[in-house]
Structures are given as C-alpha cells and as structure tokens.
Amino acid sequence: MPRNNLSREQIVQAAVGLLDTEGVDGLSMRQLGSRLGSTAAAVYWHVKDKEEILVLAAEAVWGEVQLPDLCESGWRAAVTTMANDLHAMTLRHPWLVPAMGFHPLYVPGRARHDDHLLAICQAAGFTGREAEQAMKTVLTFVLGSALVGNKGGPAESTGDDLNFGLRAILDGLHDRLVGRP
Amino acid sequence: MPRNNLSREQIVQAAVGLLDTEGVDGLSMRQLGSRLGSTAAAVYWHVKDKEEILVLAAEAVWGEVQLPDLCESGWRAAVTTMANDLHAMTLRHPWLVPAMGFHPLYVPGRARHDDHLLAICQAAGFTGREAEQAMKTVLTFVLGSALVGNKGGPAESTGDDLNFGLRAILDGLHDRLVGRP
DNA sequence: ACCTGAACACCGTTCAAGT
DNA sequence: ACCTGAACACCGTTCAAGT
C-alpha cells in the first residue's frame, strides 16, 4: 500500500533548496530525509544514490535558463542575453559549477543550452569546428566566472567583469568572422 | 624526543601525489597517513586540518607555473605563454580547479601569478580597473577550461580550444586598446 | 617533541523487516 | 509499493596516553 509521502519531484525540490542555502556540504541524505519529514533510507527507494539527486538538481536549474528566440536580434545580443541569464542562474545556485568539478553533470538541460548557443554561433557565420569553439569559449568564460568570482580572489561586482570579458570575446569573434587581423 | 618520521614537506608531497592519482575524494587523512608509513592522527601534529593540506598543496602547484620575463616580447605572446603554462598545470593537477569551488585557495603563489598577469595587461596599455578586468578575463577563461574540458560535455583536444578562445580574447582586448569599434 | 590507539560524531548505502 | 531501524564501512577530528 503506497503511503506516497515522498516523490521524486519533492526530493529534487528539497535538494535544490538545501543546496542553495547550505551548499554542497549541506546536502546529506539524512538532512534531506528529515527536511522531507522522512528518513534517509526512504529516499533510496525513489532514487539510486546521491549522484542521481545531484543530476536531477542540475537538470532542474539548467531548465531555469531561458533560450532566446534565434531570429529576434543580432547574434551579439543573443549571446549576451544567454551569458547573462546563465550567469544569473549560477548566482542563484552557487553550488552548480563547483559540483561540476566532481560529478559529470552533462544533463539534457545543459545539452539544450549548449545546442542553442551553438546555433547562435552558426547563425553568426561560424561553421563546423569553429562554431563549437566559439560556443565553448563563451560557455567556458561564463562558467569560469562562477568559480573565480565566488571563492577566489578579491570579490568585486561580477556583473561588470562578466560583460567586460564577454565584450572582449565577442569583439574577438567578430574580428575572426570578418577576417580582420 | 623527536622521531621526525613526518615533516610538512613530506605531507604536502604525498598529498599532491595522492590528489593527482586518486582525485580529491582519494585524499583522506587515513590514506595520507598510511602512505607516509604513519597514521592519520600523526598528521594532525604537523597540520591544523585537511583544509590546510589543500592550501599547502595548492601553493605547491601554483609554484610550478612559470612567470615569463615582462619585457621579453609582446604582451600577446606573454599572455599566451602564461595561459598555456597555467593550462598545462591544471592538466597535471586536475583536482585544483574543482577544489577551488569548495575551498578558498587564494594562496600566495596564486596571488603572484595574478599580479604577474596584471602587470602584463598594464604593460599592454590597460590602466586601473580595466587592467584588472582584462587579467580576470584571461584567468577566468583558462580556469574555466579546466572545468568544462574535464568533466562536462564531449571531450576534445583542449589545447586547440584553449588557444582559439585565447586568441578571441586577445583580439577583443586589442580592439579595445586601439579604440576600434 | 612527536606519535599511537581508541573514541566521537558524522556520512553514504544496504537490507531485513514492517505495513 | 513504500517506509523504518539498525547495521556496515568509511570519514575528519580529538585526546589521553605513551616514548
């Protein structure tokens, strides 16, 4: 007979909440269980292990990032919008990028985000491997900002730093597109 | 009476070796002690806690990164050399960047590296806050590459990706220097 | 001064047992 | 089907006790 106190949705929601407030160290199976008014072992009926919870939580937060319409404005504006939206997400969920260092969190939501950014680069004029490299350059910089801005070095307004670097990258990519030395 | 089987140097050396081969999860105080022919508790006489071991290990590996002579060649070549050298270090010690997500590892060796990169940006013509932002852009991209290239997405030859993005950044910074739209 | 052994509180995970 | 309680093996850290 199902008691159904727990569901996958509730578990993921509680996990994201715990991660946001307590950090990755704060997410323990016992903490998670007690926050759900249950026990650690009960969680294991719904979920394989802690790794899967992290994967589900990652999928949830990647889903928060909006994917702008492809043919709305220029590729620079589209890339800037995606980068700032992703950056805002990493600020809301500061555990995600650090966790990526330890767990393979290449979830479908991440893949959709990457594909969308790649499509923008292709629409800008990049083809084949160059399009992937352009996409990866932007992505690496934004995710790197979540590391460098968070725990390393003197804290500053990361929004300014992000858009300074982003503009440099976009200018450099534009130079390559128009064949400027 | 000192038995002196253990020293800080030996502990750090063993810790780096353990981190390089087993990853951050492989570094436990008991493992570290037994690798040194001793015990976990013995390590605690030489070191405050595990965090301090990570700080010492980080200092050791940042010290491996060479700081090129400032007035040897152009600023682009100097930045490229530093970026590739740092990138090579993150490949030798893949635990460092992930660990930066969880522990404040702003060690003196890191500070020296940042200062040197900043000096190159200033020599290139950037002043004040812009110099710091230019430095941080390069640093963020290289450290981000250690995250994105390691665990996320399809693995490719990261050396090519690094220098593609680096060139875009340098081109963009150059545009800003010469006031090009 | 330097190290050992045992202990404490925690953790992820499993599993028989209950309903 | 869904959950509980207890257990296992591990962990970081402490601390009296040894030399």
Side-chain angles (χ1 to χ4, degrees):
Chain A
M1 76 197 31
R3 270 155 277 181
N4 240 9
N5 288 342
L6 256 46
S7 75
R8 263 170 165 253
E9 294 248 341
Q10 290 165 34
I11 290 173
V12 174
Q13 179 183 335
V16 171
L18 212 47
L19 287 164
D20 289 347
T21 60
E22 312 284 341
V24 178
D25 298 333
L27 179 69
S28 78
M29 302 302 281
R30 292 166 219 261
Q31 272 287 321
L32 184 58
S34 79
R35 167 171 289 219
L36 291 161
S38 184
T39 172
V43 178
Y44 278 90
W45 197 91
H46 300 270
V47 140
K48 182 174 173 286
D49 51 12
K50 194 180 176 180
E51 171 93 16
E52 185 173 359
I53 296 180
L54 272 175
V55 168
L56 293 171
E59 175 68 14
V61 299
W62 274 106
E64 296 177 4
V65 183
Q66 294 211 339
L67 305 181
D69 196 7
L70 273 178
C71 44
E72 74 171 304
S73 51
W75 64 277
R76 290 184 65 118
V79 170
T80 303
T81 298
M82 282 195 76
N84 278 281
D85 209 16
L86 173 58
H87 184 245
M89 186 272 271
T90 66
L91 293 182
R92 286 195 302 273
H93 309 290
W95 49 271
L96 177 68
V97 171
M100 285 173 54
F102 292 97
H103 310 274
L105 295 180
Y106 198 75
V107 291
R110 156 85 187 272
R112 273 191 299 273
H113 181 274
D114 286 9
D115 287 346
H116 202 82
L117 191 54
L118 177 65
I120 292 175
C121 292
Q122 288 166 337
F126 289 105
T127 60
R129 179 132 174 68
E130 278 202 356
E132 287 179 19
Q133 286 175 320
M135 180 270 279
K136 201 164 177 178
T137 299
V138 174
L139 185 71
T140 297
F141 175 68
V142 178
L143 295 182
S145 297
L147 258 191
V148 179
N150 262 353
K151 298 266 185 172
E156 297 172 17
S157 61
T158 55
D160 287 357
D161 289 354
L162 185 90
N163 284 292
F164 177 97
L166 196 56
R167 185 181 159 185
I169 290 173
L170 292 175
D171 286 345
L173 292 179
H174 176 260
D175 289 354
R176 176 180 282 261
L177 271 180
V178 301
R180 198 149 68 166
Chain B
M1 79 196 24
R3 269 156 278 181
N4 241 12
N5 288 342
L6 258 46
S7 74
R8 266 174 162 249
E9 295 247 341
Q10 289 166 35
I11 290 173
V12 174
Q13 179 184 334
V16 171
L18 212 47
L19 287 165
D20 288 348
T21 60
E22 312 284 340
V24 176
D25 298 333
L27 179 68
S28 79
M29 302 302 279
R30 292 166 220 259
Q31 271 287 321
L32 185 58
S34 79
R35 168 170 285 218
L36 291 161
S38 185
T39 173
V43 177
Y44 278 89
W45 196 90
H46 300 270
V47 141
K48 181 174 173 286
D49 52 13
K50 195 179 175 180
E51 171 95 16
E52 185 173 357
I53 295 180
L54 272 176
V55 168
L56 293 171
E59 174 68 14
V61 299
W62 274 106
E64 295 176 4
V65 183
Q66 294 211 338
L67 306 181
D69 195 7
L70 275 178
C71 44
E72 72 171 302
S73 50
W75 65 276
R76 290 183 66 118
V79 169
T80 303
T81 297
M82 281 193 76
N84 279 283
D85 209 16
L86 173 58
H87 183 246
M89 186 272 271
T90 66
L91 292 182
R92 285 195 303 272
H93 309 290
W95 48 271
L96 178 66
V97 171
M100 285 173 55
F102 293 96
H103 311 273
L105 295 180
Y106 199 74
V107 291
R110 156 85 189 271
R112 274 192 299 273
H113 182 273
D114 286 8
D115 287 346
H116 201 81
L117 191 55
L118 178 66
I120 292 176
C121 292
Q122 289 166 335
F126 289 104
T127 61
R129 180 135 173 67
E130 278 203 355
E132 287 179 19
Q133 287 174 320
M135 181 271 278
K136 201 164 178 178
T137 299
V138 174
L139 185 72
T140 296
F141 175 69
V142 177
L143 294 181
S145 298
L147 257 194
V148 180
N150 262 351
K151 299 265 183 176
E156 298 173 17
S157 61
T158 55
D160 286 358
D161 290 353
L162 185 90
N163 284 291
F164 177 98
L166 196 57
R167 186 182 155 183
I169 290 173
L170 292 175
D171 286 346
L173 292 178
H174 175 261
D175 289 353
R176 177 180 282 261
L177 271 180
V178 302
R180 199 149 63 165

